[in-house]
Amino acid sequence: MSLFQDIRNYIPINQQEAADQEQMLRYMAAHADYLERENQTAHFTASIWTVNKERTRTLMVYHNIYNSWSWIGGHADGNADLRSVAMRELQEETGVRNAVLVSPDIFSLEILTVDGHVRRGIYVPSHLHLNITYLAEAEEGEALIVNKEENQAVKWWDFEDALNASTEPWFAERIYKKLIEKCRKAV
């Protein structure tokens, strides 16, 4: 199935997801370069909400650009298989190698604003991330690494502590709370 069909078939759980789903599909239909970060207006990214088997804790990184504890993810960079992008980012950013996707289906979707910033000495203008999130389970005891290019720390958090650790209120209130509630319902 194509990314377009995966997004179209996704059943939104709230107004944010319904509105973002509609915008993603419109954007894909109008812009052939939606998978490339060279499209400086909007492009696809993949995130992975990684939880322990009991689904009571989540793995987060302290992100260099955002200066906040955040979920794990990265740019599609031309790859329409966002599941593999999410799993690759999990391994690269945390060292976790034995995580398993709970389902091949989209767990969540959201359009995220990214403020202009400098990356590797080059200014990146403000833009949108058309983000697809997948759910993975991992063992808490697996060795973690810090990818200094991407983050400053990697840590497992109880769900409630993860909400408080984020210094990005919109993420904590709108996205992370939604992901936590979905995890609790899926147990």
Side-chain angles (χ1 to χ4, degrees):
M1 193 177 308
S2 73
L3 178 59
F4 187 89
Q5 289 173 321
D6 284 349
I7 295 169
R8 187 177 63 203
N9 292 342
Y10 179 75
I11 299 170
I13 64 158
N14 60 26
Q15 289 181 343
Q16 170 263 307
E17 287 192 345
D20 289 354
Q21 177 189 42
E22 183 179 328
Q23 290 304 311
M24 285 178 180
L25 294 171
R26 281 188 189 157
Y27 198 82
M28 292 173 82
H31 302 275
D33 61 349
Y34 59 82
L35 290 171
E36 304 293 340
R37 76 171 87 189
E38 286 75 20
N39 177 332
Q40 292 188 344
T41 302
H43 47 258
F44 272 89
T45 56
S47 292
I48 191 154
W49 187 247
T50 308
V51 297
N52 61 357
K53 295 213 185 279
E54 297 78 23
R55 297 196 187 159
T56 58
R57 293 171 58 86
T58 187
L59 184 62
M60 299 181 88
V61 296
Y62 194 88
H63 199 280
N64 288 343
I65 291 173
Y66 306 119
N67 284 317
S68 180
W69 286 99
S70 70
W71 58 6
I72 297 138
H75 291 88
D77 287 332
N79 187 352
D81 181 2
L82 295 184
R83 289 168 202 83
S84 69
V85 171
M87 293 298 285
R88 181 194 73 226
E89 292 293 329
L90 176 61
Q91 185 175 340
E92 286 178 1
E93 291 186 24
T94 70
V96 170
R97 298 183 187 284
N98 297 310
V100 176
L101 283 178
V102 172
S103 166
D105 297 331
I106 294 171
F107 187 62
S108 173
L109 56 76
E110 42 280 319
I111 296 177
L112 310 169
T113 58
V114 179
D115 288 340
H117 58 276
V118 175
R119 178 162 172 86
R120 297 184 181 139
I122 299 170
Y123 182 75
V124 178
S126 297
H127 60 279
L128 299 174
H129 281 174
L130 310 173
N131 192 70
I132 303 297
T133 302
Y134 296 94
L135 177 64
E137 287 183 353
E139 294 289 338
E140 285 185 73
E142 191 168 343
L144 302 176
I145 63 156
V146 173
N147 179 340
K148 296 215 183 268
E149 226 178 90
E150 300 282 337
N151 57 61
Q152 300 171 33
V154 180
K155 181 178 175 181
W156 284 96
W157 293 88
D158 291 330
F159 283 161
E160 296 309 316
D161 292 337
L163 292 175
N164 295 325
S166 175
T167 58
E168 299 173 285
W170 191 85
F171 274 83
E173 289 299 315
R174 299 289 177 145
I175 307 300
Y176 301 154
K177 266 189 180 176
K178 172 182 71 169
L179 298 174
I180 290 167
E181 289 305 313
K182 288 185 85 167
C183 279
R184 288 180 173 150
K185 289 177 183 175
V187 173

